[in-house]
């Protein structure tokens, strides 16, 4: 790491203490027991086990704010901010010399060193951080006041990212609740009736999917896969998620266009996974031609556009497969479960009027836009964090040169003293 600041070996500025597993653990915090801090504890903030007070004298307790590393395992080198907890035996406490090195600054430096520490692990059975590699890392040492400014700003960014992640998760749960409500009660305040797919509004029809949609299975690869950027693009099951299609990686195949036949996608087509997570469904919303799909996907196209809306049907399939579980056992009984065309065609689905279908889709689309907004904000903040992390740590830019007033200081979880 090239730095305008002077650098020193990390081992000269920190004390490294490996965690120890207590002889006895309990499952609640009664009697002053404190959390047993594994990597999962730091990731999700929930303690599953606690250490009773009579065991604490034999343990390594992490001070709040002090960096801790995963020492053993495939994620060796990953760093967290310490809490008041007993450190697990698979982790290590990194305690800085506080007259020279601020805890938060040390934590963020260790974030930049993850790849070096993880790639340099030792041990043939269980990989673990090399203490020599860790101690030899050259850490920039700006004045303490600058370290505190840097860590305060980076913590603020981390907090803002966490806020967007939480908001996306909360909005996603709101969507799930809305879907359960909408597909049970509808929008017209009608009485309900019991059906083979569960309670639905009284006026809704229940019909087999094959009576509502043309179902066409995709193209078999038959060793026609392209290894480059030439050929016909096609979608796989790995492109289809619940409610959206991911085009970050699109495969291609060598096949005459005439061999595709009727399997070209049109805007509004519904794709349903035959294999993997069977039933996973999303609508092809792009207005472009020249793309097809593999034989592990079914393409559904309404027989009558005045009867069925594909986005409504995609949402129902998510409810039916994931929430209500009315399609449990829908796959054919083979070694690898699959949803054949015949089996998909006979599954029952609800059919309100096309107007009510569109209104339900509009509600769910509005929630989706909110989820996507939080995801995009999170992505922008993550990119900003990555860009600033290296430049601030090395002194390439200074905190005083930045205007990040848009970040709400109330989201900062750690403020250096």
């Amino acid at each position: 790491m090239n730095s305008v600041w002077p650098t020193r070996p990390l081992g000269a500025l920190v004390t490294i203490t490996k965690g120890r597993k207590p002889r006895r653990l309990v499952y609640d915090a009664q009697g002053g027991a404190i959390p047993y801090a594994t990597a999962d504890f730091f990731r999700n903030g929930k303690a599953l086990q606690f250490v009773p007070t009579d065991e604490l004298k034999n343990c390594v307790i992490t001070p709040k704010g002090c960096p801790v590393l995963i020492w053993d395992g495939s994620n060796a080198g990953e760093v967290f901010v310490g809490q008041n907890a007993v450190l697990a035996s698979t982790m290590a406490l990194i305690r800085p010399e506080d007259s020279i090195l601020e805890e938060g600054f040390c934590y963020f430096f260790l974030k930049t060193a993850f790849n070096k520490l993880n790639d340099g692990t030792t041990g043939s059975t269980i990989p673990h951080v090399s203490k020599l590699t860790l101690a030899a890392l050259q850490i920039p040492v700006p004045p303490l006041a600058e370290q505190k400014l840097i860590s305060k700003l980076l913590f603020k960014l981390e907090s803002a990212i966490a806020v967007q992640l939480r908001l996306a998760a909360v909005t996603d749960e709101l969507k799930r609740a809305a879907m359960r409500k909408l597909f049970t009660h509808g929008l017209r305040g009608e009485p309900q009736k019991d059906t083979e797919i569960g309670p639905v509004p009284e006026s809704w029809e229940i019909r087999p999917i094959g009576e509502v949609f043309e179902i066409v299975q995709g193209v078999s690869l038959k060793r026609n896969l392209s290894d480059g950027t030439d050929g016909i693009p096609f979608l796989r099951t790995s492109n289809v998620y619940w409610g959206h299609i991911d085009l970050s990686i699109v495969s291609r195949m060598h096949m005459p266009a005439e061999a595709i036949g009727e399997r070209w996608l049109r805007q509004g087509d519904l794709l349903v996974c035959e294999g993997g997570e069977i039933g996973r469904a999303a609508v092809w919303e792009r207005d472009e031609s020249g793309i097809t799909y593999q034989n592990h996907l079914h393409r559904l196209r309404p027989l009558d556009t005045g009867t069925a809306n594909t986005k409504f049907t995609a949402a129902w399939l998510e409810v039916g497969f994931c929430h209500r579980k009315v399609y449990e056992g829908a796959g054919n009984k083979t070694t690898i479960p699959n949803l054949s065309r015949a089996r998909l065609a006979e599954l029952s689905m609800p059919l309100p009027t096309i107007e009510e279908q569109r209104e339900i889709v509009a509600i769910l689309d509005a929630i989706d836009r909110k989820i996507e907004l939080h995801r995009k904000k999170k992505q922008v903040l993550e990119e900003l964090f990555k860009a600033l992390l290296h430049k601030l740590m090395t002194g390439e830019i200074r905190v005083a040169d930045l205007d990040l007033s848009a970040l709400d200081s109330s989201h900062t979880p750690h403020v250096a003293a």
Side-chain angles (χ1 to χ4, degrees):
M1 178 182 284
N2 295 324
S3 172
V4 302
W5 314 112
T7 62
R8 293 182 63 181
L10 184 67
L13 302 179
V14 301
T15 301
I16 303 167
T17 308
K18 189 85 165 13
R20 292 191 293 273
K21 185 172 183 178
R23 292 171 297 180
R24 185 165 63 94
L25 292 166
V26 295
Y27 294 93
D28 58 57
Q30 291 183 358
I34 68 173
Y36 182 57
T38 61
D40 284 342
F41 167 78
F42 288 110
R43 288 194 182 102
N44 60 38
K46 295 180 181 178
L48 299 179
Q49 295 178 303
F50 297 82
V51 182
T53 53
D54 60 349
E55 289 286 335
L56 296 180
K57 61 181 179 296
N58 300 314
C59 299
V60 176
I61 298 177
T62 64
K64 190 172 183 179
C66 200
V68 294
L69 274 179
I70 297 180
W71 197 262
D72 302 314
S74 59
N75 292 317
E78 187 176 357
V79 62
F80 303 97
V81 176
Q83 304 296 325
N84 182 31
V86 170
L87 199 61
S89 59
T90 57
M91 307 193 73
L93 175 66
I94 313 298
R95 188 190 290 271
E97 171 52 61
D98 58 14
S99 64
I100 303 173
L101 191 59
E102 194 261 344
E103 292 173 339
F105 186 85
C106 181
Y107 160 75
F108 286 111
F109 170 75
L110 289 168
K111 269 188 169 293
T112 70
F114 170 76
N115 289 335
K116 185 174 289 187
L117 293 174
N118 191 262
D119 293 344
T121 54
T122 60
S124 56
T125 306
I126 299 176
H128 56 267
V129 170
S130 164
K131 192 170 184 178
L132 289 175
T133 300
L134 177 62
L137 293 174
Q138 292 290 316
I139 182 170
V141 187
L144 269 175
E146 187 73 18
Q147 292 182 42
K148 290 176 182 180
L149 288 174
I150 290 169
S151 66
K152 183 176 180 178
L153 173 56
L154 292 175
F155 274 121
K156 189 180 293 186
L157 275 169
E158 276 201 332
S159 180
I161 292 167
V163 166
Q164 296 305 321
L165 184 62
R166 285 196 300 273
L167 288 172
V170 167
T171 312
D172 189 59
E173 185 52 43
L174 170 65
K175 180 184 176 182
R176 291 170 181 266
M179 291 169 81
R180 290 190 292 266
K181 180 76 171 177
L182 290 168
F183 284 97
T184 302
H185 297 276
L187 293 171
R188 304 290 188 257
E190 300 177 55
Q192 292 174 291
K193 63 182 178 183
D194 289 326
T195 72
E196 64 265 36
I197 62 171
V200 299
E202 201 168 54
S203 68
W204 288 20
E205 289 186 69
I206 305 297
R207 293 176 61 185
I209 288 175
E211 289 185 6
V212 182
F213 291 95
E214 173 194 52
I215 305 173
V216 177
Q217 199 158 7
V219 179
S220 175
L221 296 181
K222 293 182 179 177
R223 297 184 295 279
N224 292 317
L225 191 63
S226 169
D227 58 1
T229 58
D230 58 327
I232 294 171
F234 71 97
L235 299 184
R236 297 174 176 268
T237 55
S238 57
N239 296 109
V240 178
Y241 291 78
W242 286 116
H244 74 279
I245 293 174
D246 179 11
L247 297 177
S248 56
I249 300 176
V250 176
S251 302
R252 292 176 176 266
M253 69 171 79
H254 294 298
M255 182 175 284
E258 57 270 20
I260 305 297
E262 59 191 304
R263 296 176 178 86
W264 299 105
L265 287 176
R266 295 183 198 164
Q267 187 178 27
D269 283 344
L270 174 60
L271 292 170
V272 180
C273 293
E274 178 207 45
E277 187 181 3
I278 63 171
R280 194 170 64 230
V283 174
W284 176 250
E285 298 189 67
R286 295 195 169 211
D287 183 16
E288 58 185 72
S289 58
I291 188 163
T292 186
Y293 55 102
Q294 72 166 140
N295 60 323
H296 296 304
L297 290 168
H298 302 288
R299 187 217 69 210
L300 277 63
R301 192 172 286 167
L303 295 171
D304 178 359
T305 56
T307 298
N309 179 289
T310 50
K311 292 192 76 172
F312 173 87
T313 307
W316 159 251
L317 288 172
E318 182 173 348
V319 171
F321 276 98
C322 299
H323 305 329
R324 285 197 191 174
K325 306 291 186 184
V326 297
Y327 293 149
E328 280 192 310
N332 295 327
K333 306 302 182 184
T334 59
T335 305
I336 302 174
N338 69 89
L339 183 64
S340 68
R341 182 198 176 283
R343 189 73 185 96
L344 174 61
E346 67 186 18
L347 296 179
S348 296
M349 66 168 287
L351 266 184
T353 64
I354 193 68
E355 290 79 13
E356 190 168 3
Q357 290 180 51
R358 288 168 180 158
E359 289 172 28
I360 288 172
V361 166
I363 292 169
L364 297 177
D365 279 350
I367 300 174
D368 278 337
R369 287 193 294 272
K370 185 71 171 172
I371 294 170
E372 185 60 21
L373 175 64
H374 292 308
R375 287 176 177 160
K376 285 182 176 177
K377 285 183 176 179
K378 173 178 169 286
Q379 182 180 354
V380 169
L381 288 166
E382 286 174 336
E383 290 170 358
L384 177 61
F385 178 86
K386 289 175 184 176
L388 287 179
L389 178 60
H390 178 81
K391 295 184 181 208
L392 286 169
M393 298 297 290
T394 59
E396 184 177 342
I397 59 175
R398 304 289 178 89
V399 175
D401 298 331
L402 300 171
D403 179 9
L404 296 175
S405 55
L407 293 175
D408 182 359
S409 61
S410 67
H411 292 156
T412 307
H414 173 108
V415 178

